[in-house]
Amino acid sequence: MLNVAIFIYDEVEVLDFAGPFEVFNTASRLVRRERPPEEAPFRVFTVAEGGAPVRARGGLVVLPEFAFGAHPRPDVLLVPGGVVDAELRKPAVETWLHAQAAGAQIVASVCTGAFLLAKIGLLDGLRATTHWEDIADLRRMATATRVEENMRWIDEGRVVTSAGISAGIDMSLHLVGRFVSRDLAVSTARQMVYAVRD
């Protein structure tokens, strides 16, 4: 079973974290239902800097499952977007992201989560994408990165970035396909009434 840790913070974009959360949980639910002897492939949980509730964009209040330093080791670290300005200025966030990224099999971002990956140097020398509104800003910040637009997601092996909001669902389905099978990714999308994009 792979641990999928989703970082959440004040002003995180709701679908950026909730979309991937739903994909990985739905994939595991389908495996438990259709192949009961098999272990669910993913355990998904949220992590925030502290244990206090997080106020996402639009005012949605979310209670993180874990705080920094008190969570299982992530195999997949997912960094959603939103208003990331405050997070970019926090040494504790930078330190935590460095530590978790070092041990993870995959580090993925949705939307402006790419700025946090750029801040810790994870995008250096790679191709990456973000929300279309933020392409120019990411190019200015991540000068060692080839920032591409008009891409739903970009898979660079250990680092995967996606464009805004719903693109995080596409990327997560792609990761289900990478880790388990395309068949499970397709079944997961069908369960979610969502189209699989290649």
Side-chain angles (χ1 to χ4, degrees):
M1 182 181 290
L2 296 169
N3 288 324
V4 180
I6 301 178
F7 174 47
I8 59 173
Y9 49 90
D10 285 337
E11 294 300 316
V12 64
E13 186 72 50
V14 175
L15 197 59
D16 279 16
F17 76 85
F21 191 98
E22 183 71 15
V23 168
F24 292 111
N25 268 303
T26 298
S28 286
R29 190 169 72 243
L30 289 175
V31 169
R32 284 193 301 267
R33 186 177 75 193
E34 296 169 8
R35 304 191 289 253
E38 291 185 28
E39 182 180 58
F42 306 107
R43 181 192 176 198
V44 192
F45 52 87
T46 53
V47 184
E49 184 178 1
V54 164
R55 186 171 292 276
R57 293 193 84 174
L60 178 69
V61 177
V62 183
L63 182 64
E65 188 172 353
F66 295 104
F68 287 2
H71 55 82
R73 182 186 62 80
D75 299 297
V76 179
L77 174 63
L78 195 141
V79 182
V83 182
V84 295
D85 305 57
E87 305 312 306
L88 287 167
R89 294 192 295 269
K90 292 180 180 177
V93 169
E94 185 174 351
T95 299
W96 181 81
L97 287 172
H98 260 299
Q100 305 317 308
Q105 294 181 40
I106 296 282
V107 182
S109 67
V110 184
C111 194
T112 53
F115 287 78
L116 291 164
L117 300 191
K119 178 76 185 287
I120 63 170
L122 212 58
L123 302 184
D124 290 356
L126 302 179
R127 296 160 58 237
T129 195
T130 188
H131 190 283
W132 60 268
E133 284 188 327
D134 302 292
I135 291 286
D137 287 341
L138 186 59
R139 283 177 176 152
R140 280 190 289 273
M141 177 185 181
T143 55
T145 304
R146 185 172 145 199
V147 179
E148 298 191 4
E149 52 193 317
N150 302 317
M151 303 286 289
R152 296 291 288 177
W153 76 87
I154 294 177
D155 187 333
E156 287 284 85
R158 212 178 136 260
V159 178
V160 185
T161 56
S162 66
I165 312 177
S166 66
I169 296 174
D170 298 326
M171 178 188 70
S172 299
L173 289 165
H174 167 71
L175 291 175
V176 169
R178 265 188 63 176
F179 279 116
V180 185
S181 70
R182 176 165 173 80
D183 285 348
L184 181 59
V186 170
S187 297
T188 300
R190 184 170 183 272
Q191 183 70 26
M192 293 174 61
V193 195
Y194 193 84
V196 176
R197 300 170 197 245
D198 291 318

